[in-house]
Amino acid sequence: MIKDIKSFCRLFYESTFLPINCYDYASDQSYTYPEDAGFDIIVNNPSPDFLNFKKNPDYFVSDSFTYYGYVESSGRDYCLIVGPVFSTPVTESDTHNFMKEWTIDASFHSRVSHFLQSIPPQSLYSFLNVLAYLHFCINDEVISVSEHFQLERLSQTDKISSVYTEKIMELKENQKYHNTYFYEKEMMKYVQNGDIKRLKELLNSSQNLVEGIVAGNALRQKKNIFITIATLTTRAAIQGGMNLEEAYQLADVYIQDCEHSQNLTYIENLNYSMLIDFAERVAKGKIPGGMSKEIFDCVQFISRHVNEPIQVGDVTEHIGKSRSYLTKKFKKELGFDISSFIMRCKLEESKSLLTFTEKSLSEISSYLCFSSQAYFQNVFKKKYGITPTQYRKQTQQIT
């Protein structure tokens, strides 16, 4: 047992610069270090939270996110209170909140601010180890920090907060902050607007960007960043008018491609392609000049239902206009009738399926709701001058 507790507390402070107060039960006296920082203002007006210590040693975190620790001698001769301690370098806001919590008069602001800024930041885990050390010094008992303080029972938020505070300290010390926010915001704006030209200019510009560390190795880091950008891009494209399901499906395809890759350069190029692809699709979905909102809605409806047995009546019902009114307006604005456009959309979709899938002609014709495979082949050849099989051979050789 330590006989000269006052000297011990002084040496503890001079070694760690962590504020410490010792209360001697027998003499009803307190010893506070540092002695000349006005710390007595605080310990002589203790917070009711100090009454909540339930074991030895113990700790609590105040409303101003300040750590306080408690260690009592086994013979109940005295107790030690360590704190205040912050997990990050103290800011002006921290000082303000601290003084408010302790109802310290504003005239002491300068002294309190200087005092708080002199305290070295500690993570919660480090702080609890300090309490374990003090407990060993005065009670000659070794405790397991994780078991005694039940760290394994801390919520996920507490665990994240502990890591978070360490990272914030590191960032402030190195002055290396995230700077991608405004770049990402501008990038998403161009995707949402379908502004391909400006998006390419932004992506090709020289940017000294500092990204967060979100993985343990370079490949996983690149993939995680890609997934984040894909998520943001999907939201931006949907806000720009892209069909919700199509946007999500497209993002899934890009993310799966990214996950399968083991090449950093490939993922970087894929990221570029994905952004441009989304922007181009948004641009195509924008209402062209001279097209009314009604006809634009017709076009969008037909495009989204190309794999259904859609008829002119389905389109007019969706728009809520008469058949005669809508067919005339459609013909006037686009130069062809609704039935022709429905067939055109189905055939364009068949071209994609022939090029990028191994689906049989029977499967494609059935998927696009043609009356038969033969009919599909006939209208395809009439439109493009070659059979679906010939088209597949040509395009797959290219791709």
Side-chain angles (χ1 to χ4, degrees), residues 74-175:
S74 56
R76 289 188 58 81
D77 300 298
Y78 53 81
C79 70
L80 306 178
I81 294 176
V82 183
V85 175
F86 292 82
S87 60
T88 60
V90 176
T91 65
E92 185 61 31
S93 176
D94 294 328
T95 300
H96 173 77
N97 292 334
F98 180 82
M99 293 182 67
K100 182 179 178 181
E101 181 177 41
W102 287 90
T103 61
I104 301 174
D105 190 270
S107 62
F108 292 103
H109 180 275
S110 179
R111 292 172 61 188
V112 174
S113 178
H114 177 74
F115 163 59
L116 296 181
Q117 291 179 12
S118 71
I119 303 170
Q122 297 270 314
S123 70
L124 177 59
Y125 185 73
S126 297
F127 182 69
L128 297 182
N129 273 284
V130 170
L131 299 184
Y133 165 75
L134 289 173
H135 181 72
F136 173 74
C137 290
I138 67 175
N139 293 318
D140 195 26
E141 180 187 14
V142 176
I143 62 171
S144 167
V145 170
S146 60
E147 292 179 6
H148 180 82
F149 294 107
Q150 299 179 325
L151 295 186
E152 67 278 2
R153 297 184 184 179
L154 288 176
S155 68
Q156 291 297 322
T157 302
D158 292 329
K159 293 178 182 178
I160 292 296
S161 295
S162 179
V163 176
Y164 164 76
T165 54
E166 295 280 4
K167 294 296 183 182
I168 288 293
M169 285 179 60
E170 182 181 337
L171 288 173
K172 288 182 178 179
E173 288 177 357
N174 299 328
Q175 292 294 296

Side-chain angles (χ1 to χ4, degrees), residues 219 223 256-264 266-267 270:
L219 181 61
K223 289 183 177 182
Q256 289 170 17
D257 192 6
C258 170
E259 285 294 336
H260 291 151
S261 175
Q262 301 298 313
N263 186 292
L264 294 177
Y266 179 85
I267 295 174
L270 187 66

Side-chain angles (χ1 to χ4, degrees), residues 177-195:
Y177 299 102
H178 295 71
N179 63 354
T180 60
Y181 174 74
F182 293 104
Y183 178 83
E184 291 167 358
K185 190 174 182 180
E186 190 172 10
M187 184 166 60
M188 293 306 114
K189 180 181 70 174
Y190 294 149
V191 171
Q192 183 175 339
N193 294 338
D195 194 336

Side-chain angles (χ1 to χ4, degrees), residues 174-339:
N174 299 328
Q175 292 294 296
K176 189 176 182 181
Y177 299 102
H178 295 71
N179 63 354
T180 60
Y181 174 74
F182 293 104
Y183 178 83
E184 291 167 358
K185 190 174 182 180
E186 190 172 10
M187 184 166 60
M188 293 306 114
K189 180 181 70 174
Y190 294 149
V191 171
Q192 183 175 339
N193 294 338
D195 194 336
I196 302 164
K197 181 176 180 296
R198 289 189 178 181
L199 178 59
K200 287 183 177 179
E201 290 175 352
L202 178 67
L203 295 176
N204 293 329
S205 64
S206 177
Q207 299 280 347
N208 185 24
L209 299 175
V210 178
E211 298 173 335
I213 299 175
V214 292
N217 60 72
L219 181 61
R220 188 66 258 171
Q221 165 84 5
K222 190 70 69 176
K223 289 183 177 182
N224 288 349
I225 294 286
F226 181 94
I227 293 170
T228 301
I229 294 176
T231 303
L232 293 174
T233 303
T234 303
R235 281 14 175 215
I238 292 171
Q239 291 175 339
M242 187 173 176
N243 176 265
L244 187 145
E245 188 57 36
E246 291 177 0
Y248 277 118
Q249 288 294 340
L250 184 62
D252 289 346
V253 171
Y254 272 108
I255 290 172
Q256 289 170 17
D257 192 6
C258 170
E259 285 294 336
H260 291 151
S261 175
Q262 301 298 313
N263 186 292
L264 294 177
T265 302
Y266 179 85
I267 295 174
E268 289 178 359
N269 293 336
L270 187 66
N271 184 72
Y272 181 93
S273 299
M274 174 186 66
L275 287 162
I276 300 301
D277 190 3
F278 268 100
E280 287 178 341
R281 291 172 187 268
V282 171
K284 290 178 181 177
K286 295 293 183 184
I287 300 177
M291 182 184 291
S292 66
K293 178 68 166 55
E294 288 174 336
I295 300 306
F296 176 75
D297 288 343
C298 287
V299 170
Q300 292 294 302
F301 178 78
I302 293 169
S303 299
R304 290 195 299 266
H305 295 80
V306 70
N307 63 319
E308 298 175 17
I310 186 173
Q311 303 291 332
V312 176
D314 299 314
V315 181
T316 58
E317 182 179 349
H318 174 73
I319 301 302
K321 297 292 183 181
S322 68
R323 186 186 184 102
S324 59
Y325 168 82
L326 202 58
T327 51
K328 288 179 181 178
K329 192 172 181 64
F330 198 98
K331 178 81 172 180
K332 180 180 179 181
E333 292 190 18
L334 300 184
F336 43 81
D337 56 39
I338 298 175
S339 297

